[in-house]
Amino acid sequence: MKRDYDIYSDLCPARAVLDRIADKWALLIMDRLALGPTRFNVLKRDVSGISQKVLSQTLKLLERDGLVSRKAYPTVPVTVEYALTPLGENLSMAVAAFAHWAESNMDAIRKAQLAYDRRERSSAQA
Amino acid sequence: MKRDYDIYSDLCPARAVLDRIADKWALLIMDRLALGPTRFNVLKRDVSGISQKVLSQTLKLLERDGLVSRKAYPTVPVTVEYALTPLGENLSMAVAAFAHWAESNMDAIRKAQLAYDRRERSSAQA
DNA sequence: CCGTATCCGCGAGGATACTG
DNA sequence: CAGTATCCTCGCGGATACGG
């Protein structure tokens, strides 16, 4: 058993990493990159709703943690491709399972929400 | 193939769910609850760094989405146990794989960070 | 095309105090 | 023990403009 790192511990470096990857945008980007190397503006288009700033920011952080690689081609204008590193590929299975879980279970979730809101409503009676 | 829901789509309800579960605190709470039913203050102690407010908030959201159940026992003082629902159990595998990934790969991550910071430093030379 | 720089609103979430 | 209520700050992230 590894006890070197513990995400439950506030000051553990693994907690900081978790904070970075347990993020809606980071997950969507990684999941999208799992399909193959992708250019900046394609990512921006596919991950709908993300802003240029946040996309750039998130990519940099993922690159720093060694999950994503950046490769620039000296075309005019410049072409840049982002891709998962081997380390990123290693995580991509978990990312996909997690990210797409909501899609597969929306019906159950909706049902739960309705039941919850109904209970709230009735308990709010004066 | 299910095309009913798509997390890449900005306005899809599945995206909203992703936003809720792709959260450091939500992940840690669910992962902890996978060990078994747990009382509020035990959760607060085990998930170090979380505040009372955020713990309460997050539990409510998870309960609304049908991932967590809340059971109050009429003891004095009251005892409350949180647990994963069947739907939550269903997600817990993905949560565990994802949440603990950082622990297992910190060495590679650290190496990548050092390399990245070194490159940044050298490219910042005037 | 691929970003960086700047401004700024707004809400997440920490601290603290109080209640059933 | 298990929360709710309130205040307040701090930085996330959207919008916009500009540079390589």
Side-chain angles (χ1 to χ4, degrees), chain B:
Chain B
M1 289 291 178
K2 288 202 73 167
R3 290 248 176 257
D4 298 343
Y5 299 106
D6 177 16
I7 50 169
Y8 286 102
S9 176
D10 204 7
L11 17 92
C12 181
R15 173 72 80 84
V17 174
L18 179 63
D19 202 15
R20 258 167 265 145
I21 63 179
D23 169 75
K24 179 181 53 181
W25 298 128
L27 280 174
L28 288 170
I29 290 169
M30 285 189 284
D31 190 59
R32 179 59 184 74
L33 288 180
L35 298 179
T38 313
R39 284 179 300 107
F40 186 89
N41 279 326
V42 176
L43 274 175
K44 177 156 165 34
R45 190 173 315 109
D46 288 1
V47 180
S48 81
I50 197 170
S51 70
Q52 218 167 34
K53 180 186 173 183
V54 171
L55 177 56
S56 175
Q57 252 177 24
T58 308
L59 283 170
K60 264 193 207 163
L61 288 173
L62 292 175
E63 196 191 348
R64 191 175 108 91
D65 284 342
L67 296 165
V68 164
S69 66
R70 194 193 106 114
K71 172 113 199 193
Y73 298 92
T75 55
V76 179
V78 67
T79 301
V80 178
E81 269 190 357
Y82 291 92
L84 291 182
T85 61
L87 191 62
E89 299 272 10
N90 177 286
L91 178 59
S92 69
M93 290 289 184
V95 168
F98 186 77
H100 291 288
W101 180 89
E103 290 176 341
S104 313
N105 294 89
M106 273 309 297
D107 294 339
I109 295 168
R110 283 217 150 144
K111 228 181 109 185
Q113 290 174 349
L114 284 172
Y116 183 91
D117 293 346
R118 240 182 158 315
R119 283 193 286 124
E120 284 306 292
R121 194 162 252 291
S122 66
S123 72
Q125 287 175 354

Side-chain angles (χ1 to χ4, degrees), chain A residues 94-105:
Chain A
V95 168
F98 186 77
H100 292 288
W101 180 89
E103 290 177 339
S104 311
N105 293 88

Side-chain angles (χ1 to χ4, degrees), chain A residues 8-27:
Chain A
Y8 286 101
S9 176
D10 204 6
L11 16 92
C12 181
R15 172 72 79 87
V17 175
L18 179 63
D19 203 14
R20 258 166 265 145
I21 62 178
D23 169 76
K24 177 182 53 178
W25 298 128
L27 280 174

